[in-house]
Amino acid sequence: MGKIQRFPVGFPPIIREIIKQQVGELGNSEAEVVKNIVLIYLTEKGLLRAMGIKKKKEGGKK
C-alpha cells in the first residue's frame, strides 16, 4: 500500500457516537471505522478509480 500517513481529526460528540456504534460493523476500532468510511466515500465518488487510471497511464510512478 505504500507509506502510511496519519491525520489527526476531531469530531463533534454526535459523530463520535455514530462512529462508536459502527465498531464491529465497519471495523474493529474507531480509527478503522473512520478509515473505512473515508475509503467508502472515495470509492463512491470514483476518486480511487480515477487515481488508479492516472497512475497506470503514468507507468505507476508516484
Side-chain angles (χ1 to χ4, degrees):
M1 183 192 251
K3 188 174 180 180
I4 294 177
Q5 173 114 19
R6 294 177 185 251
F7 293 95
V9 296
F11 296 107
I14 188 73
I15 303 300
R16 288 284 314 271
E17 286 303 314
I18 293 170
I19 291 168
K20 286 179 184 180
Q21 291 172 3
Q22 296 305 309
V23 172
E25 285 287 320
L26 294 177
N28 295 323
S29 67
E30 291 178 29
E32 193 172 333
V33 168
V34 172
K35 178 185 79 167
N36 288 331
I37 290 170
V38 170
L39 290 173
I40 291 166
Y41 176 83
L42 293 174
T43 301
E44 285 181 354
K45 295 296 181 181
L47 297 173
L48 292 180
R49 185 172 187 273
M51 289 300 293
I53 291 170
K54 182 178 177 184
K55 283 188 178 185
K56 196 173 191 179
K57 285 181 181 178
E58 293 175 355
K61 296 178 185 175
K62 287 186 178 181

